Amino acid sequence: MNSADPFFLNQLLIVIVVYEQKISETRAFASLDPIRKNATILIYDNSQAPQEFSKFSNLIYRHDEKNPGVSKAYNTAAQLADEKQKTWLLLADQDTLFPDSFLFTYQQALTEFPNEKLFAPILADRKGVISPFSFHHAKGKRLSSALKPGVHNLMTYRIVNSGIMVSVRLFEKAGGYDERFSLDYSDIVFTDRLLLIHSFFVLVNSLLKQNFSGSSEKNTVALLKRFNSFCSTVLLYKKTVAHQVPLLRVLLPRAIKLSLQTRNFQFLKIVIDSMLRRDTPKQ
């Protein structure tokens, strides 16, 4: 098995965001097991109750019962990375499965592109590749064909949070993550910020597997709650970042798909309510 160089690992801080799942049973923690003795790992636990687990000298645990989402966790990790004089920050979702040699592959990519500051993997769920993806009119879309590893423009392609390795300095210069976006659109808003100062990312030839919430089967109540949260986030994105977002074009297709899937038309009602909230003048 190819292993990353200890010097490279010493420059790296990995953050795993956990929510209501036993740390040792998360896909990310389990698949990072071969390298956790060499790289610093921050476990940011958004669960309601703190967890007890086997500690390691290079593993840091933070519990936040307020569950502020991934953006707060990433910003906390970047601050910690700066305090520990780390050069790189790697983001990991609890449901991401990392291949054994992925950090070695990242190290090779950094050697090949020493001036680049942002690296991303190929991320796939059970339906296919979810990252990189195209993004137009505030709507993400899977690519119809595979993207070749190498340097790509963030104006053309966007990347999902999990698996990103970003320079700590670039992260800070961009202003980090917007904590108003706790989950949905957190990666979109972050890359929007990056685009103001940095246009490129390196797609690394490493395939990560993801249990992606958007493609998972859930009960109708959970789907309704999740969709309502998504609609609120799109409204926030339109209000604060991209005022030209066509709300119906973004929300209606998803509502129709979920309505047909569950035979429940409450999804359409949520869209209507969202449009009314948008159009209601402030008192």
Side-chain angles (χ1 to χ4, degrees):
M1 180 180 68
N2 293 323
S3 299
D5 185 89
F7 177 77
F8 168 69
L9 293 175
N10 190 53
Q11 294 180 313
L12 182 67
L13 187 142
I14 302 171
V15 54
I16 304 175
V17 184
V18 175
Y19 178 71
E20 299 301 347
Q21 189 172 349
K22 191 174 180 180
I23 294 168
S24 60
E25 295 177 357
T26 64
R27 300 179 90 196
F29 188 81
S31 58
L32 287 169
D33 180 79
I35 56 89
R36 69 182 181 209
K37 292 182 180 179
N38 297 309
T40 300
I41 297 180
L42 169 66
I43 302 293
Y44 197 98
D45 189 359
N46 281 323
S47 305
Q48 192 169 26
Q51 300 187 48
E52 291 293 334
F53 65 101
S54 299
K55 302 294 195 302
F56 299 86
S57 60
N58 61 322
L59 194 150
I60 302 164
Y61 177 78
R62 297 280 179 88
H63 175 245
D64 193 338
E65 62 181 6
K66 295 179 180 179
N67 184 23
V70 299
S71 294
K72 175 65 179 296
Y74 297 153
N75 287 342
T76 300
Q79 183 178 4
L80 181 62
D82 184 58
E83 292 171 0
K84 291 185 171 295
Q85 299 181 322
K86 302 294 184 180
T87 305
W88 298 97
L89 176 66
L90 189 136
L91 315 181
D93 180 85
Q94 66 179 15
D95 293 322
T96 302
L97 183 66
F98 293 82
D100 290 342
S101 60
F102 90 100
L103 281 181
F104 177 75
T105 307
Y106 271 43
Q107 180 184 320
Q108 287 183 313
L110 182 57
T111 300
E112 185 177 357
F113 303 99
N115 295 321
E116 295 301 324
K117 305 300 181 184
L118 179 63
F119 295 78
I122 302 166
L123 191 65
D125 66 0
R126 61 185 178 83
K127 292 184 178 180
V129 174
I130 58 174
S131 180
F133 61 97
S134 63
F135 185 73
H136 300 287
H137 305 296
K139 188 175 182 180
K141 184 179 180 181
R142 295 175 190 251
L143 300 179
S144 58
S145 59
L147 198 61
K148 293 182 178 180
V151 180
H152 296 279
N153 199 310
L154 281 171
M155 285 291 293
T156 307
Y157 306 105
R158 296 299 180 96
I159 49 181
V160 172
N161 291 322
S162 194
I164 290 176
M165 186 176 79
V166 57
S167 156
V168 175
R169 293 292 170 263
L170 178 62
F171 187 102
E172 294 173 339
K173 189 175 180 181
Y177 275 71
D178 188 333
E179 295 181 13
R180 293 174 298 180
F181 295 84
S182 60
L183 181 60
D184 291 319
Y185 278 64
S186 58
D187 42 15
I188 296 298
V189 177
F190 179 58
T191 47
D192 282 342
R193 290 182 170 191
L194 284 174
L195 274 168
L196 297 175
I197 58 173
H198 188 85
S199 301
F200 302 98
F201 72 97
V202 175
L203 180 63
V204 180
N205 189 23
S206 184
L207 176 64
L208 279 55
K209 296 181 180 179
Q210 175 80 9
N211 283 345
F212 189 51
S213 61
S215 60
S216 299
E217 297 295 333
K218 295 183 178 180
N219 62 58
T220 301
V221 173
L223 287 171
L224 283 166
K225 183 178 180 181
R226 186 77 180 82
F227 183 66
N228 187 65
S229 175
F230 174 76
C231 290
S232 297
T233 301
V234 175
L235 284 172
L236 178 63
Y237 186 70
K238 179 179 178 65
K239 179 180 179 181
T240 61
V241 181
H243 305 300
Q244 74 280 10
V245 171
L247 289 178
L248 276 178
R249 184 174 176 180
V250 176
L251 301 179
L252 191 58
R254 183 175 294 204
I256 293 173
K257 180 180 178 180
L258 289 169
S259 296
L260 294 174
Q261 175 185 323
T262 61
R263 298 182 181 180
N264 187 312
F265 293 97
Q266 287 297 310
F267 296 97
L268 294 172
K269 183 179 183 301
I270 291 174
V271 173
I272 295 172
D273 290 343
S274 297
M275 297 299 295
L276 290 175
R277 291 204 305 271
R278 186 278 308 265
D279 293 329
T280 301
K282 293 182 179 180
Q283 299 298 322

